[in-house]
Amino acid sequence: MATENKNLSEYDKNTIPNAKDFRFGIVVSEWNETITEGLYNGAFEALIDNEVPAQQIIRWNVPGSFELIYGAKKMLQTQNVDAVIVIGCVIQGQTKHFDFVCEGVTQGIKDLNVQTDIPVIFCVLTDNNIQQSIDRSGGIHGNKGTEAAIAAIKMAYIRQQASMSHPFNQPLLSSGAIQIEETPIKIDKE
Ligand SMILES: Nc1c(NC[C@H](O)[C@H](O)[C@H](O)CO)[nH]c(=O)[nH]c1=O
Ligand SMILES: CC(=O)[C@@H](O)COP(=O)(O)O
């Protein structure tokens, strides 16, 4: 379904896990600032709406979307957060720069999700023109910041549940592997 057919700000509060004890980091790009402020406001308000205390929301600014990767990495390493949201807005210009910034930030954030344990939520608009950005940052299609905040709550909850259901609740081996008790396989003899 395209954003056009879905309001990005709509969510059913009954389906959202309790978020009052989680800490969230939000890294905001200063490029296309009016748009990224709209996205930040959407994310912040959705977290507050879901009972996250304001002091458990840590905001950092970075110069552009490309810097969101480093900002998120440092946030993960230093702020004891349960999830990070990266907020940016890349708008097509006259050159291929758009493609490289979009590809770079997308792959970088994907890498953080693969390599580290804390979820990083992608709230980066990659638009053909400013109108598309306005429409998605509190305009006619709602606010992708709201959608990102709900995703962050859900992912923080999944991480919490996963750690609680860790096999036998045992610590990781020094190799990083999980110790799994072997169950003998029964082979039927003919
Ligand atoms: N053109 C846009 C950029 N470009 C800047 C880069 O993200 C980066 O800050 C620079 O290359 C220095 O490393 N960033 C956006 O977020 N949006 C744009 O439309
Ligand atoms: C997304 C961009 O990098 C961008 O807006 C830069 O514009 P241009 O390609 O015209 O230099």
Side-chain angles (χ1 to χ4, degrees), residues 29-32 63-67 88-92 97-98 101:
S29 161
E30 289 168 347
W31 255 83
N32 300 311
S65 290
F66 194 75
E67 286 72 45
C89 172
V90 196
I91 300 178
Q92 180 74 60
H97 193 63
F98 175 86
V101 173

Side-chain angles (χ1 to χ4, degrees), residues 81-103:
V81 287
D82 296 287
V84 172
I85 301 167
V86 296
I87 290 179
C89 172
V90 196
I91 300 178
Q92 180 74 60
Q94 294 174 337
T95 71
K96 289 184 180 168
H97 193 63
F98 175 86
D99 299 336
F100 290 106
V101 173
C102 292
E103 176 76 9

Side-chain angles (χ1 to χ4, degrees), residues 62-76:
V62 295
S65 290
F66 194 75
E67 286 72 45
L68 290 170
I69 307 159
Y70 185 83
K73 182 173 77 173
K74 287 289 146 192
M75 182 75 87
L76 295 173

